[in-house]
DNA sequence: TGTGTGATTGTTATT
DNA sequence: AATAACAATCACACA
């Protein structure tokens, strides 16, 4: 016990919401970065011209059995939950592209306490993911090119 | 018939 | 430090 200052990334992501001292006054100390995060991601179409047998979503989607894929972020977890409700409320909506927009919009309106729930999940996921990375790194260190390419796609 | 794209934000990895 | 790309999902469009 006595594990107060966890330091490091684990730093209790849910502590903010868990701590609800005083009356309903929540000390929401969201560090206002102030800087506008402009997304300058060049979303070109790298897939243009890349044909894979399976359906490689969009870009790369490299099939690295050794490299653990990125776990869904808190936003994605929220999406799963939001998606269900959204479909019920908006049966007319066909695709999730619209949902994604709605989610993103609502996500920003959500308070830290609400988001923290999903953040907590993502945090746990990352913990597991961290192990995968460690194993991956370790394995890589042990035998970098040791993969035998099991079955080189033979259809 | 089959597969790629589209959109959301967050996280991770790489440089 | 900052950038790049990817993480899931589902319906539609094109060849």
């Amino acid at each position: 016990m006595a594990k107060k200052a966890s330091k490091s990334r684990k730093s209790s992501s849910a502590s903010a919401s868990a701590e609800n001292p005083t009356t309903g006054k929540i000390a929401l100390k969201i560090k206002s970065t102030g800087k506008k995060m402009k997304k300058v991601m060049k979303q070109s179409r790298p897939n243009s011209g890349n044909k894979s047998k399976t359906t490689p979503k969009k870009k790369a989607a490299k099939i690295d059995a050794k490299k653990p894929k990125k776990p869904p972020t808190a936003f994605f977890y929220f999406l799963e939950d939001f998606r269900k409700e959204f479909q019920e409320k908006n049966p007319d909506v066909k695709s999730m592209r619209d949902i994604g927009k709605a989610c993103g919009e609502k996500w920003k309106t959500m308070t830290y306490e609400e988001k923290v729930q999903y953040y907590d999940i993502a945090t746990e996921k990352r913990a597991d993911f961290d192990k995968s990375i460690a194993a991956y790194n370790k394995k890589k260190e042990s035998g970098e090119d040791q993969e035998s390419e099991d079955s080189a796609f033979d259809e």
Side-chain angles (χ1 to χ4, degrees):
Chain A
M1 41 235 340
K3 98 174 0 170
K4 54 199 321 225
S6 316
K7 83 183 56 188
S8 274
R9 44 218 265 188
K10 241 121 167 269
S11 66
S12 57
S13 27
S15 64
S17 72
E19 290 303 283
N20 197 351
T22 63
T23 50
K25 189 81 141 294
I26 296 114
L28 227 322
K29 53 166 58 179
I30 299 175
K31 49 180 78 183
S32 41
T33 49
K35 30 172 83 162
K36 2 172 134 215
M37 296 178 177
K38 49 161 66 167
K39 18 174 86 186
V40 270
M41 301 201 200
K42 49 148 105 280
Q43 294 206 328
S44 44
R45 22 226 19 256
N47 210 7
S48 191
N50 175 4
K51 345 160 125 192
S52 275
K53 293 157 196 226
T54 55
T55 81
K57 275 73 191 185
K58 301 181 190 359
K59 332 157 213 254
K62 0 178 105 183
I63 305 140
D64 290 332
K66 320 188 245 350
K67 203 147 55 194
K69 299 191 298 201
K70 301 183 256 188
T73 63
F75 181 68
F76 271 51
Y77 285 106
F78 170 65
L79 237 154
E80 285 183 65
D81 190 40
F82 186 85
R83 187 168 58 74
K84 293 174 192 165
E85 288 187 53
F86 194 91
Q87 283 179 350
E88 285 182 28
K89 296 180 181 195
N90 303 287
D92 295 331
V93 174
K94 311 166 173 221
S95 266
M96 47 181 311
R97 285 169 271 163
D98 293 321
I99 300 175
K101 286 177 194 168
C103 272
E105 198 169 343
K106 177 160 185 172
W107 178 260
K108 291 185 178 172
T109 60
M110 285 170 74
T111 56
Y112 182 73
E113 307 136 28
E114 297 178 283
K115 294 196 287 193
V116 87
Q117 314 175 68
Y118 299 97
Y119 271 102
D120 184 49
I121 299 169
T123 301
E124 288 184 65
K125 213 65 172 158
R126 284 194 329 162
D128 186 51
F129 174 73
D130 181 44
K131 292 190 229 174
S132 297
I133 288 289
Y136 160 67
N137 286 334
K138 184 176 179 185
K139 183 171 193 148
K140 187 175 174 185
E141 223 179 284
S142 199
E144 203 165 339
D145 282 22
Q146 189 171 47
E147 81 270 0
S148 274
E149 218 76 10
D150 47 345
S151 73
F153 321 96
D154 54 297
E155 255 115 87

